[in-house]
Amino acid sequence: MRVSYDEIDDAMYIRFSDEKYFESEEVKEGIILDFDKEKRVVAMEILDVSKRLPLSSFDVMNFEIHHP
C-alpha cells in the first residue's frame, strides 16, 4: 500500500494494489474509488483532505493487521 498527499491540491491518494484501474466512481462528494476490471478497489482518492482529517495525523501512520 502506498499513501501520498499533495499539499497544493489538498488531495490524498491511497493505492492498495499495482493493478491498473479500469473505472472510477465518486462514492461521496470528494471521495473517489478506483476499480480494476474485476470491480476490486485498487485505490482511493480523498479531495479537500485537510477539511476531512486533522493534518497532524499525517505525521505518524500506524498500520494494523488483525488475524482471526
Side-chain angles (χ1 to χ4, degrees), residues 3-67:
V3 179
S4 60
Y5 173 63
D6 183 325
E7 288 183 84
I8 295 170
D9 292 329
D10 194 24
M12 179 178 281
Y13 192 69
I14 305 167
R15 190 85 165 128
F16 303 110
S17 168
D18 288 330
E19 295 292 320
K20 292 185 177 188
Y21 79 90
F22 179 69
E23 63 183 350
S24 297
E25 179 181 346
E26 188 169 18
V27 295
K28 186 175 180 178
E29 185 177 340
I31 308 291
I32 301 144
L33 298 180
D34 293 341
F35 299 91
D36 65 10
K37 287 186 178 185
E38 284 77 39
K39 305 283 187 204
R40 295 177 295 201
V41 176
V42 296
M44 176 173 62
E45 185 172 17
I46 304 171
L47 306 177
D48 300 319
V49 74
S50 65
K51 296 175 184 173
R52 301 169 186 271
L53 301 170
L55 292 179
S56 62
S57 67
F58 294 4
D59 293 337
V60 176
M61 183 176 291
N62 295 313
F63 187 75
E64 296 180 16
I65 299 175
H66 297 273
H67 299 281

